[in-house]
Amino acid sequence: MAKDHHGLELTGASATAAGLYQKALEAQICYAGDAFTPLEAALADSPDFVMAHVLKGWITLMGADTPTAAIGAAAYEAARTLPASSREQGHIAALAALLAGELRGAARILEDVTIEHPHDLLALQAGQNMDFLLGDARMKRDRIGRVLPHWSRDMPGWHGVLGLHAFGLEETGHYERAEDAGREAISLQPRNNWAQHAVAHVMVMQGRHADGVRWMRQENAAWQPEAMLGVHNWWHTALFHMGLGETSEVLALYDGPIYGEPTAFGFNMADAAALLWRLELMGVDVGGRWNILADRFASEPAGRNAFVDTHAMMAYVGAGRDADQAALLAAQDQAIAGPGDNAMFVRDVGRFTIPAIQAFGRGDDAKAIELLRDVRNRAGRFGGSHAQRDVLDLTLIAAARRAGATALERALLAEREAAMPLAREAIRALAA
């Protein structure tokens, strides 16, 4: 039986297909390059190659639009009836849970896979993705930390483990260690978009805007070609320019690599909406960009992910789409009574954040303040990163200012300055 670089069995694979799979997996771990061409070649060679179907599922089911997610569902259907090892069966079961909206179940299954098989880099990556969707910062760190004794620098894929660990460390506030791990990963594999992104997260959270621009545009540009994580990494780059007050550069990035080619992928739309919303909070006219984005949000079903839906409300508010706003709120009522973990996301967070964004758009600052103050300290429960959810705090600050709640605004700015002392100048600019 064919095996991967770490001796893990690859059921149904020829030696040729196993080599092609390894190439596809490296692209997926880096979020850079073409994973699909070698993966399709592997399946053409070995149609019963179960992990090739599994990898296809993981590539296409995270934040995808409906047609792409259908490819992932078909990959799962192809895999579930094939002979498979217990490790491979774990992946299949996790995909089934993801398709059912049971993200906590998928996360636990993948946790068990990596406890038994700590060299399963795909299970580590997919598991951290589940932690991201769940907003589970501790597991973003600890599911990677627990396998570190089984890895060493000279092993293939070590850069991938370092990149994952860097993000987990950043999300739990270990900024220096996170930056060290991310930079080491990049020194081993400069195309590793996830490691690049982890270091960017550190710089965002510390308010190191000039450092961030240098990191993303000068220190390492190798992440940029064929970047599967390109929208998100350029979004980080735009945040750094925004922190420097370079709003024309932000708009250029939005019209270029961020949303110059509009997509209906959930997390790409969320990044686009969050960027336009932040610009609006700064008083920047974004023109007709909201309409294009709102059209894309409306092309996908609502009520599947409260994090994405919160950003959909931003687009509908920005575009003045009252009917879409009403439909989105109705979808939350249905979701909260429905199956899957999104019912929890809506109950705990979405039923506050989505109407808060609508209220802010309508000038009802008192309602926006009440809802955002209620939810902001537990907003992690509907997923995303600290950097992404920061848009809620920025909206609360803007609502307090607009409402004339001066004491609240000062308190919010003071807490922000205490948390990010390196960003003192940019934070004080918020009060200008």
Side-chain angles (χ1 to χ4, degrees):
M1 181 179 292
K3 296 183 179 181
D4 72 4
H5 289 170
H6 297 285
L8 298 172
E9 294 180 352
L10 298 174
T11 305
S14 69
T16 298
L20 290 164
Y21 170 83
Q22 203 69 54
K23 184 177 180 180
L25 179 60
E26 174 69 8
Q28 172 65 9
I29 296 304
C30 287
Y31 291 112
D34 178 7
F36 252 79
T37 298
L39 194 57
E40 290 295 297
L43 286 167
D45 176 271
S46 302
D48 293 340
F49 183 0
V50 64
M51 283 305 294
H53 291 292
V54 164
L55 177 55
K56 192 173 182 179
W58 286 126
I59 290 173
T60 53
L61 287 172
M62 275 288 296
D65 59 11
T66 299
T68 305
I71 295 172
Y76 160 73
E77 289 295 332
R80 72 182 182 87
T81 59
L82 294 174
S85 67
S86 60
R87 177 184 75 90
E88 294 163 339
Q89 288 170 357
H91 276 277
I92 295 168
L95 285 172
L98 175 60
L99 283 163
E102 299 289 348
L103 305 181
R104 288 174 293 182
R108 176 59 64 85
I109 292 166
L110 291 165
E111 181 183 348
D112 290 341
V113 168
T114 53
I115 287 171
E116 293 297 321
H117 304 280
H119 296 128
D120 190 334
L121 190 49
L122 179 58
L124 289 170
Q125 183 191 60
Q128 192 180 76
N129 283 337
M130 296 304 103
D131 300 332
F132 168 81
L133 293 173
L134 291 163
D136 190 339
R138 178 173 174 176
M139 277 305 293
K140 290 176 193 175
R141 179 193 67 194
D142 291 349
R143 86 164 56 237
I144 313 303
R146 63 176 51 159
V147 307
L148 293 179
H150 301 275
W151 285 81
S152 62
R153 183 182 175 89
D154 61 344
M155 297 176 71
W158 173 236
H159 71 87
V161 176
L162 277 174
L164 293 168
H165 196 220
F167 184 55
L169 288 168
E170 179 278 323
E171 287 292 281
T172 48
H174 300 285
Y175 296 136
E176 290 185 10
R177 292 174 60 201
E179 184 167 351
D180 288 345
R183 286 182 178 274
E184 183 181 351
I186 290 299
S187 75
L188 297 171
Q189 174 49 275
R191 298 196 74 195
N192 188 325
N193 270 239
W194 198 249
Q196 182 78 19
H197 140 276
V199 175
H201 268 273
V202 170
M203 293 174 176
V204 166
M205 296 308 295
Q206 293 181 325
R208 293 162 54 195
H209 307 304
D211 287 348
V213 171
R214 283 191 295 271
W215 172 244
M216 300 304 286
R217 309 197 82 152
Q218 298 166 20
E219 289 187 55
N220 180 41
W223 65 268
Q224 296 172 15
E226 298 182 291
M228 288 185 260
L229 202 67
V231 168
H232 189 60
N233 273 348
W234 283 117
W235 177 81
H236 275 287
T237 308
L239 291 189
F240 294 132
H241 284 291
M242 188 180 293
L244 295 171
E246 298 167 352
T247 56
S248 60
E249 188 61 46
V250 175
L251 287 170
L253 286 171
Y254 183 94
D255 293 336
I258 294 174
Y259 216 65
E261 296 182 9
T263 77
F265 277 54
F267 297 117
N268 290 354
M269 292 191 294
D271 280 346
L275 198 60
L276 294 183
W277 189 260
R278 289 172 189 237
L279 287 167
E280 292 272 10
L281 294 178
M282 295 173 68
V284 177
D285 181 5
V286 302
R289 294 175 180 87
W290 280 124
N291 287 314
I292 296 170
L293 182 57
D295 286 342
R296 293 292 174 163
F297 271 114
S299 72
E300 287 289 308
R304 297 187 300 187
N305 185 289
F307 175 83
V308 173
D309 285 346
T310 298
H311 292 82
M313 183 59 84
M314 294 176 192
Y316 296 150
V317 167
R321 305 278 188 92
D322 291 343
D324 285 327
Q325 293 174 38
L328 183 62
L329 291 171
Q332 306 314 304
D333 292 338
Q334 295 175 350
I336 206 168
D341 288 331
N342 192 48
M344 173 187 70
F345 301 157
V346 177
R347 182 184 67 247
D348 291 353
V349 183
R351 69 187 180 94
F352 298 88
T353 57
I354 296 171
I357 295 298
Q358 183 188 49
F360 183 86
R362 293 180 173 181
D364 189 347
D365 295 313
K367 181 177 181 180
I369 290 169
E370 179 184 2
L371 290 168
L372 290 172
R373 290 185 72 183
D374 278 346
V375 77
R376 71 188 189 110
N377 290 339
R378 63 173 185 276
R381 296 180 189 175
F382 79 162
S385 67
H386 298 306
Q388 289 173 309
R389 295 188 301 268
D390 189 45
V391 71
L392 301 175
D393 280 324
L394 292 171
T395 305
L396 176 57
I397 291 168
R401 178 184 305 116
R402 205 166 62 180
T406 305
L408 175 61
E409 180 193 1
R410 288 175 179 169
L412 293 169
L413 291 172
E415 73 172 25
R416 193 174 185 85
E417 188 172 320
M420 294 189 291
L422 296 176
R424 183 173 291 113
E425 185 176 329
I427 293 167
R428 290 179 178 176
L430 289 174

